[in-house]
Amino acid sequence: MASVLIVDGANVVGSVPDGWWRDRRGAAVRLRDLLAARGGDEEIILVVEGAARGVESVPGVRVDPAPGSGDDRIVELAAAHAERGCVVVTADRELRERVRSYGVRCVGPRAVRPVD
């Protein structure tokens, strides 16, 4: 069974001051496409919220629109996939603590989005 990579879309997009705040949906699409280009056998879930909720899934990346808090949705997904070698991508300290209680490993945004 492949591992699961859960990406905190808002946190990763916000990690680089590239004007993402002017077009949150477009920033989420760019992140989704960057993730899709990774290849590999891991399942990738991009959690989006707010203005990015309309972003569609593509082959290699399942986009999961959080019905409320993105952090709460990430915790739900981490709990559901913990036994599969789940990794959460976020710099949010509180979220990291919440998902680590399920034995989930965390990495920062640079793991999926290089900084210029």
Side-chain angles (χ1 to χ4, degrees), residues 43-100:
E43 178 183 354
I44 300 174
I45 304 171
L46 173 61
V47 176
V48 297
E49 58 189 335
R53 280 195 186 104
V55 173
E56 300 285 328
S57 295
V58 296
V61 180
R62 184 178 106 208
V63 178
D64 190 311
S69 161
D71 288 1
D72 289 347
R73 182 62 182 145
I74 290 166
V75 172
E76 290 172 8
L77 290 167
H81 297 291
E83 76 286 348
R84 291 180 55 193
C86 184
V87 176
V88 170
V89 182
T90 187
D92 182 320
R93 287 187 182 134
E94 182 181 328
L95 178 58
R96 283 175 174 240
E97 290 305 314
R98 291 175 67 191
V99 298
R100 281 186 180 135

Side-chain angles (χ1 to χ4, degrees), residues 23-47:
D23 181 11
R24 294 172 192 262
R25 187 178 188 287
V29 167
R30 289 188 298 277
L31 176 58
R32 177 204 62 198
D33 294 348
L34 179 69
L35 292 168
R38 285 173 54 100
D41 63 347
E42 64 195 352
E43 178 183 354
I44 300 174
I45 304 171
L46 173 61
V47 176

